[in-house]
Amino acid sequence: MASRFSRATAFGFVAAALLSVAVVAEPGDAPDRKPDDWLLNAPDDAARFKLLQRYLRGFDQPMWEVGERFESIYDALTDENYELAAYHWEKIRTTIVNGYLKRPKRQANADALFVNGAYQPVLDGFRSKDRDKAWDAFELARNTCQSCHEAEKVGFINNQPLFRKAPPQQK
Ligand code: HEC
C-alpha cells in the first residue's frame, strides 16, 4: 500500500514538474488560447483564407471608398486643387481594379467603361489645370460611374446626392 502510494506520489511530482516546464518553456506558443487571434485560431490555412475572404468583402466596400473619393474630387475642383483631384482619380482606379480582383464578374464593364474608357481622358482633364476642362472631366467621370451602375443592374445607386453634384457654373 505504502509503496503504491509513494509511486503514485512520485508520478504526480514528475507530471507536475513536466507540466510546469512545458508552461514555462512555451509561454506564447499556444495562440489558440487567445480569443483575439481570429486567424491563428483557425484549424488550417484553408480556413484562414476563408476568413480573410469573408473579412475583405466584395465590391461594396471598394465602391464605398470610390464614392468618398469622388466626393473629394468635387471638393478639390471647387478649391481648384487639380493635383488633389487627379490624385483621388488615380486612387479610384486602383480601388476599382482591386475591387474586381475580388468580384471578377464586374471586370468586363469596369474595363470597358472605366479603365479603358473614361479613366485617361478624365485624368488628362484634371491635369490640364484648366477650370472648364477639369469640370468637363468631372461630368464625364460621373456619367461613367452611372453607366456602369446601370450596366451592372444597380441603377438605384445613382439616385443619391453624390451623383447630383454639378459643376458650379451650372448651379
Ligand atoms: C463595374 C462598374 C462600376 C463602376 C465603373 C463604378 N461602379 Fe459604383 N458600384 C458598382 C456596383 C456593382 C455596385 C454595387 C456593389 C455591390 O453590389 O456590392 C456599386 C456601388 C457603388 C456605391 C454604393 C457603395 C456602398 O455600399 O455604399 C457607390 C457610392 C458607388 N458605387 C460609386 C461609384 C462612383 C463614384 C464611381 C465612379 C468614379 C463608380 N461607382 C464606378 C459598379 C461600378
Side-chain angles (χ1 to χ4, degrees):
M1 267 301 234
S3 80
R4 219 183 290 162
F5 175 77
S6 64
R7 257 203 306 272
T9 310
F11 177 76
F13 276 122
V14 169
L18 283 175
L19 198 66
S20 68
V21 164
V23 167
V24 171
E26 304 173 86
D29 211 33
D32 51 334
R33 300 274 185 270
K34 293 186 213 139
D36 288 353
D37 284 336
W38 64 288
L39 287 177
L40 294 174
N41 287 346
D44 52 32
D45 280 352
R48 285 181 192 104
F49 287 134
K50 265 189 188 164
L51 286 171
L52 277 175
Q53 279 203 163
R54 196 209 302 170
Y55 186 74
L56 289 170
R57 313 266 297 253
F59 211 68
D60 67 307
Q61 207 163 24
M63 269 300 138
W64 190 35
E65 177 184 333
V66 165
E68 290 294 312
R69 289 189 186 277
F70 192 63
E71 190 151 22
S72 297
I73 287 179
Y74 180 86
D75 292 340
L77 294 180
T78 306
D79 290 345
E80 301 191 24
N81 185 345
Y82 302 109
E83 280 172 331
L84 184 60
Y87 168 87
H88 281 297
W89 189 242
E90 287 171 332
K91 298 298 173 189
I92 281 176
R93 184 187 186 280
T94 302
T95 308
I96 289 179
V97 170
N98 284 345
Y100 68 55
L101 194 71
K102 293 189 287 178
R103 291 295 180 266
K105 70 175 176 181
R106 309 292 190 196
Q107 181 170 358
N109 281 326
D111 278 350
L113 297 166
F114 176 84
V115 178
N116 304 318
Y119 176 71
Q120 195 58 48
V122 169
L123 189 62
D124 292 345
F126 295 158
R127 283 185 175 159
S128 75
K129 300 189 179 179
D130 175 281
R131 192 172 182 277
D132 291 340
K133 282 184 188 161
W135 280 112
D136 285 349
F138 178 81
E139 294 222 88
L140 174 59
R142 190 185 53 197
N143 292 340
T144 305
C145 309
Q146 294 189 288
S147 313
C148 203
H149 296 149
E150 293 292 345
E152 293 289 327
K153 300 186 175 60
V154 291
F156 62 90
I157 299 277
N158 293 335
N159 188 15
Q160 57 173 310
L162 179 64
F163 296 108
R164 288 194 285 272
K165 285 179 176 288
Q169 65 265 29
Q170 290 182 6
K171 272 182 187 165

